[in-house]
C-alpha cells in the first residue's frame, strides 16, 4: 500500500513536469494521482518536502532560466510559455528566488565562460566549432527510469537499484545499454532541483508491471542532434558546455525544450573506456 501511494505521488510529480506550461489547478494534479485534492495536498508535501504549487513554480522558474539564457524570447513571452498567468507574477516569483529580475539575469549570457578559460572570458570572444557529429531520427521508445536527486557521489546506489529491479522483471538484456537524462537546465549555479534519471529500454512486447521506484518515461520520436563523449565520465560537463555554448551562438537551431538524453554505450566499471552519446531533440 505504501508503494502504491508513492507511485501515485510520483505520477503527479511527473504530471507537473510534463504540463507545467499549462494553467494547472491543484485539482488537475490530484486527479492524475487518483487522490482527492485535500489528501493529495497533504501527502505531496509530506512525501516531497514542499507543496504541489511550490514545486510547480520551481519547475517553471528553472525552465525560465534555460529560456532566458538559450533564447532571445522576450520576458513577457517566457512568462506565458512557462505557465504564469501574467509577466508581473513571473517577475515577482523570479526575483524572490534569484534576487534578480529576469532581465538582469539574462545579462549573464554575455559573460558565460568558455570551458577551460578564465571566468572573465565572455562567450562572444570565442567562436566554437560545431561539436555535433550528425543529426538522426529516432522512433518512439519507452524507457524504465529511476530518479536520482542526491549528490553525484551516490549515483552508484541509484544505479544498483535500477539494475536489481530491471533484472527482477527481465528488463535488463543485451545489448547492454543504459539511458540517462538531466531534467534540469544546463549546469547553472542557481539551479537547485538537480533531477537526474537513469533507465533501461523497455521491449515493445513487455507486459509486466514496472516495479517501484522505477517509472515509465517516453523517449519521444523525432530528429536529434548527436555528439559523443569519449573522455572520463567526470569530464562530461565540459562536453555539455561546448554543446550549449555552440547552441547559444547559433540561436536559429530549432532546439526543443525537452531535456537532453544520454545513451551509455560504454561506461566503467563494465568497460575500460567511456562512450556516451548525447542527444538534443529538435523541434518538429
Amino acid at each position: 500500500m505504501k508503494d502504491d501511494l508513492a507511485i501515485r505521488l510520483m505520477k503527479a510529480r511527473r504530471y507537473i513536469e510534463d504540463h507545467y506550461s499549462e494553467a494547472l489547478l491543484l485539482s488537475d494534479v490530484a486527479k492524475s494521482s487518483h487522490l482527492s485534492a485535500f489528501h493529495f495536498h497533504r501527502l505531496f508535501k509530506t512525501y516531497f518536502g514542499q507543496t504541489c504549487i511550490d514545486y510547480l513554480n520551481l519547475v517553471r522558474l528553472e525552465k525560465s532560466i534555460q529560456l532566458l539564457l538559450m533564447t532571445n524570447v522576450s520576458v513577457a513571452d517566457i512568462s506565458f510559455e512557462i505557465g504564469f498567468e501574467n509577466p508581473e507574477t513571473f517577475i515577482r516569483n523570479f526575483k524572490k528566488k534569484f534576487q534578480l529580475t529576469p532581465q538582469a539575469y539574462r545579462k549573464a549570457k554575455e559573460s558565460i565562460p568558455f570551458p577551460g578559460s578564465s571566468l572573465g572570458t565572455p562567450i562572444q570572444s570565442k567562436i566554437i566549432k560545431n561539436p555535433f557529429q550528425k543529426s538522426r531520427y529516432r522512433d518512439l521508445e519507452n524507457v524504465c527510469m529511476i530518479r536520482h536527486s542526491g549528490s553525484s557521489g551516490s549515483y552508484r546506489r541509484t544505479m544498483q537499484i535500477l539494475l536489481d529491479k530491471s533484472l527482477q522483471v527481465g528488463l535488463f538484456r543485451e545489448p547492454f545499454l543504459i539511458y540517462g537524462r538531466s531534467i534540469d537546465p544546463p549546469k547553472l549555479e542557481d539551479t537547485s532541483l538537480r533531477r537526474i534519471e537513469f533507465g533501461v529500454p523497455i521491449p515493445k512486447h513487455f507486459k509486466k508491471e514496472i516495479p517501484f521506484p522505477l517509472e515509465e518515461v517516453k523517449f519521444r520520436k523525432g530528429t536529434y542532434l548527436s555528439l559523443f563523449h569519449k573522455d572520463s565520465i567526470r569530464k562530461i560537463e565540459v562536453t555539455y558546455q561546448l554543446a550549449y555554448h555552440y547552441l547559444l551562438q547559433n540561436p536559429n537551431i530549432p532546439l526543443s525544450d525537452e531535456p537532453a538524453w544520454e545513451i551509455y554505450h560504454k561506461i566503467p566499471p563494465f568497460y575500460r573506456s567511456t562512450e556516451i552519446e548525447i542527444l538534443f531533440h529538435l523541434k518538429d
Side-chain angles (χ1 to χ4, degrees):
M1 182 65 181
K2 183 178 179 181
D3 285 355
D4 177 66
L5 179 58
I7 290 171
R8 291 187 187 192
L9 293 171
M10 287 163 60
K11 284 183 177 179
R13 180 180 64 182
R14 182 79 60 182
Y15 185 86
I16 291 172
E17 294 167 354
D18 289 344
H19 299 272
Y20 68 88
S21 62
E22 302 172 14
L24 286 183
L25 299 175
L26 178 64
S27 57
D28 297 326
V29 186
K31 187 177 180 180
S32 73
S33 63
H34 304 288
L35 293 167
S36 69
F38 173 79
H39 290 296
F40 170 75
H41 177 77
R42 176 176 55 85
L43 291 168
F44 190 97
K45 185 175 182 179
T46 299
Y47 196 79
F48 294 117
Q50 59 189 147
T51 68
C52 167
I53 300 303
D54 286 344
Y55 185 70
L56 171 60
N57 281 335
L58 184 56
V59 169
R60 286 171 169 170
L61 290 174
E62 298 218 351
K63 183 61 188 176
S64 75
I65 292 176
Q66 185 173 349
L67 294 172
L68 285 167
L69 297 187
M70 306 296 290
T71 75
N72 293 318
V73 178
S74 70
V75 169
D77 286 343
I78 287 175
S79 69
F80 295 121
E81 188 170 336
I82 61 176
F84 282 103
E85 59 185 17
N86 56 64
E88 291 73 23
T89 303
F90 166 51
I91 293 170
R92 183 173 62 252
N93 280 274
F94 191 97
K95 190 173 182 180
K96 181 178 179 181
K97 177 169 176 56
F98 299 110
Q99 289 75 54
L100 285 171
T101 65
Q103 295 95 326
Y105 198 98
R106 173 168 261 169
K107 290 183 180 179
K109 174 179 175 179
E110 300 173 0
S111 58
I112 296 175
F114 180 77
S117 68
S118 65
L119 290 178
T121 305
I123 182 173
Q124 287 85 351
S125 67
K126 184 79 174 182
I127 302 301
I128 299 171
K129 182 180 177 182
N130 184 357
F132 297 100
Q133 280 78 30
K134 58 184 178 179
S135 62
R136 67 186 183 94
Y137 183 84
R138 285 186 58 92
D139 285 323
L140 176 69
E141 185 175 21
N142 293 323
V143 183
C144 182
M145 304 202 80
I146 185 170
R147 176 74 57 91
H148 175 87
S149 300
S151 65
S152 59
S154 58
Y155 285 164
R156 181 172 294 184
R157 172 61 180 160
T158 303
M159 293 286 282
Q160 189 62 56
I161 295 173
L162 170 66
L163 297 180
D164 288 347
K165 295 291 185 179
S166 299
L167 284 168
Q168 286 176 16
V169 294
L171 273 174
F172 203 74
R173 301 176 179 179
E174 296 290 344
F176 184 76
L177 284 180
I178 296 178
Y179 292 0
R181 65 175 188 167
S182 177
I183 301 176
D184 302 312
K187 189 177 182 181
L188 299 166
E189 295 304 319
D190 291 323
T191 55
S192 59
L193 289 178
R194 306 297 186 199
R195 299 164 300 166
I196 300 170
E197 296 182 327
F198 302 104
V200 295
I202 301 174
K204 289 184 179 180
H205 302 295
F206 184 80
K207 300 295 184 183
K208 296 182 181 179
E209 185 176 344
I210 301 297
F212 176 82
L214 309 186
E215 300 177 76
E216 184 174 329
V217 178
K218 294 190 183 300
F219 196 150
R220 300 184 188 279
K221 68 178 181 179
T223 302
Y224 289 78
L225 286 177
S226 169
L227 74 159
F228 281 85
H229 173 79
K230 296 184 179 181
D231 204 335
S232 165
I233 197 167
R234 294 181 179 180
K235 297 181 180 180
I236 194 171
E237 202 62 54
V238 174
T239 302
Y240 266 105
Q241 288 179 32
L242 285 169
Y244 279 116
H245 281 307
Y246 178 78
L247 292 168
L248 273 171
Q249 291 182 344
N250 295 272
N252 292 329
I253 295 176
L255 191 67
S256 80
D257 60 358
E258 295 180 24
W261 282 85
E262 298 170 1
I263 302 179
Y264 306 107
H265 296 279
K266 295 179 181 179
I267 54 170
F270 309 105
Y271 296 90
R272 291 183 178 180
S273 59
T274 299
E275 185 175 316
I276 302 173
E277 184 179 13
I278 304 173
L279 296 161
F280 292 82
H281 192 197
L282 299 178
K283 291 180 180 178
D284 296 330

